[in-house]
Amino acid sequence: MSVTPLQALPLEVLRQRSSTKWRKYGDDVLPFFVAETDYPLAPAITRALTRAVELGDTGYTPPAPGIRESFVGFAARRLGWTIDPSHVFWTADVMMGVVEILRLVIEPGDRVVVMTPVYPPFFDTVEEAGGVVERVPLARSDSGWEIDLPAVESSLASGATAVLLCHPHNPTGTVHPPETLAALAELAERHGAVVVSDEIHAPLTHAPVAFTPFLAVSDAARRVGYAVTSTSKTFNLAGLKCAVMVAGGDRQADVLRRLPWEVEWRTGLFGALAHIAACAPESDDWVDSLLEALRLNLDLLAELLADHLPEARFVMPEAGYLAWVDLRAYGWGDDPAQTILESTKVAFHHGPFFGSEGVGHVRINIGCSPAMLREAILRVSDMVRS
Ligand SMILES: Cc1ncc(COP(=O)(O)O)c(C=O)c1O
């Protein structure tokens, strides 16, 4: 059955938005940096939030908001993941969940493995939790990236106590295969380390690739792991503040029960309402339409790069709407996003922010209209010609 791709809102409407994507730069800049998308909200979310606004329902999030139950249903339907509801906890956002879990499972000064290039807040988050970042770059192959298991093992063997996994990985879009994750879990268990898996991009895995949650790969993963995720990337809800933490087993659930009560209390009521609407079966068709729009845009990006920036190196992401593009061949410096912004008023994300592996790279958010994506690549290709 064919799925109709979701249509992004027109640029003149998006320019009226007040979020970071549309307000960091002036109206003369086309934004592709932060991970916000340009689509209308899923109808069930619009209805839930409109009703709350009409009621002036803007107070505190209640003690049992329904975040847990709705996520358990969503995970079973969309991710093939069976979760014990007593293992689900909630907080305001994914990075807050990661910080709070790390605070409980590491000692100050402990080393935490982070696989670069990676979503830049991973570095700050480990430090905020009192840890020290241990950079273990992903291994590069012609077909993509993979976890460098021997390098992770050597970090764990020499005393690193936790791994902060990004699955699917931002910025490369890598969906780690279950065998690799199972091997990672075994290494962690052997060396007494914990794995915290950030799975925020999981619902946007592109078929035929299949996503397996870290906590679903093996008993060892469930013994060493926690997952943190949110509907906020898929449904563009980052400003509303709701995320979930999932314990791998009863032991970790006991650990999460030790979190200060404020960690749950900080969850936004609009975040909770939107999360519940996002997780409802009636939003499934919207996600399928979004996936179709993203797939078409990724194909378009590949085509535009091949035609207009043939020296760019790009591997199709297996999940999400972020494209990691190597522009080193063009000699636009360590941070081509800066050069491009100054020359063309197109704002890509800065590769070096993701670690030294990001030198000469940009990250492009393709969650926009095909026309806007085309305009950006054509403007950048003018730089080559001039
Ligand atoms: C891998 C990853 N984790 C976390 C986040 C941020 O999530 P939150 O706003 O819920 O902290 C992002 C945002 O793009 C992300 O890509």
Side-chain angles (χ1 to χ4, degrees):
M1 201 183 63
S2 76
V3 176
T4 310
L6 212 54
Q7 297 278 311
L9 293 166
L11 198 52
E12 65 274 16
V13 173
L14 293 165
R15 292 265 182 227
Q16 297 171 45
R17 285 186 173 177
S18 50
S19 60
T20 292
K21 182 170 184 177
W22 296 98
R23 289 295 164 91
K24 175 164 178 177
Y25 300 106
D27 275 0
D28 54 340
V29 169
L30 275 183
F32 300 85
F33 61 106
V34 72
E36 295 178 21
T37 50
D38 297 349
Y39 304 98
L41 288 177
I45 297 177
T46 306
R47 276 197 302 278
L49 295 179
T50 304
R51 171 130 181 88
V53 169
E54 282 166 1
L55 289 171
D57 187 12
T58 48
Y60 292 112
T61 306
I67 294 170
R68 165 188 289 139
E69 298 73 11
S70 57
F71 183 69
V72 167
F74 180 82
R77 276 192 339 276
R78 301 287 319 181
L79 306 172
W81 182 18
T82 306
I83 305 176
D84 178 334
S86 72
H87 294 168
V88 180
F89 299 78
W90 53 95
T91 189
D93 59 43
V94 166
M95 296 323 294
M96 191 179 287
V98 170
V99 166
E100 296 299 340
I101 294 172
L102 285 178
R103 272 197 232 280
L104 291 177
V105 300
I106 66 169
E107 296 295 330
D110 276 4
R111 287 181 288 123
V112 176
V113 170
V114 164
M115 299 172 201
T116 50
V118 78
Y119 177 58
F122 270 35
F123 305 122
D124 312 304
T125 298
V126 168
E127 285 175 13
E128 192 182 336
V132 174
V133 174
E134 173 108 339
R135 294 176 190 232
V136 177
L138 290 175
R140 184 76 170 87
S141 68
D142 275 345
S143 59
W145 291 264
E146 59 194 8
I147 296 176
D148 187 342
L149 289 169
V152 174
E153 168 146 48
S154 99
S155 286
L156 297 179
S158 69
T161 59
V163 176
L164 177 51
L165 179 69
C166 196
H167 174 49
H169 194 89
N170 174 0
T172 59
T174 310
V175 173
H176 303 297
E179 316 78 69
T180 306
L181 296 173
L184 175 68
E186 273 176 33
L187 291 179
E189 184 159 54
R190 192 177 318 145
H191 295 286
V194 165
V195 177
V196 179
S197 184
D198 173 342
E199 305 192 348
I200 196 168
H201 297 280
L204 296 180
T205 300
H206 302 295
V209 176
F211 172 82
T212 310
F214 178 73
L215 296 179
V217 295
S218 66
D219 288 338
R222 284 182 284 280
R223 286 192 294 266
V224 300
Y226 296 84
V228 189
T229 189
S230 169
T231 48
S232 67
K233 285 301 113 180
T234 302
F235 293 90
N236 198 39
L237 305 173
L240 300 185
K241 298 293 166 196
C242 178
V244 294
M245 299 170 278
V246 185
D250 294 343
R251 195 181 48 75
Q252 295 99 314
D254 283 341
V255 172
L256 294 183
R257 278 187 204 98
R258 296 198 339 250
L259 284 169
W261 62 268
E262 288 93 342
V263 172
E264 252 176 34
W265 184 247
R266 287 179 189 135
T267 308
L269 178 58
F270 273 28
L273 296 173
H275 163 98
I276 292 162
C279 288
E282 65 181 303
S283 291
D284 284 354
D285 288 349
W286 184 94
V287 180
D288 292 337
S289 296
L290 171 64
L291 281 164
E292 182 63 6
L294 299 181
R295 188 187 65 75
L296 292 171
N297 268 6
L298 286 170
D299 287 347
L300 174 65
L301 178 67
E303 197 184 301
L304 289 167
L305 291 175
D307 289 349
H308 302 285
L309 289 170
E311 306 290 323
R313 287 185 69 207
F314 162 63
V315 177
M316 196 60 94
E318 293 171 317
Y321 48 81
L322 305 171
W324 186 235
V325 183
D326 178 353
L327 294 174
R328 281 174 294 182
Y330 289 104
W332 292 330
D334 285 356
D335 186 5
Q338 192 56 37
T339 317
I340 290 169
L341 178 63
E342 285 159 15
S343 311
T344 68
K345 304 264 186 208
V346 167
F348 293 152
H349 211 331
H350 305 273
F353 288 11
F354 295 75
S356 57
E357 301 76 13
V359 163
H361 290 64
V362 295
R363 195 194 71 179
I364 307 176
N365 174 351
I366 59 98
C368 60
S369 71
M372 184 166 137
L373 185 58
R374 182 182 299 278
E375 168 72 16
I377 302 302
L378 292 181
R379 281 197 206 176
V380 176
S381 73
D382 280 347
M383 284 171 65
V384 182
R385 281 205 295 279
S386 58

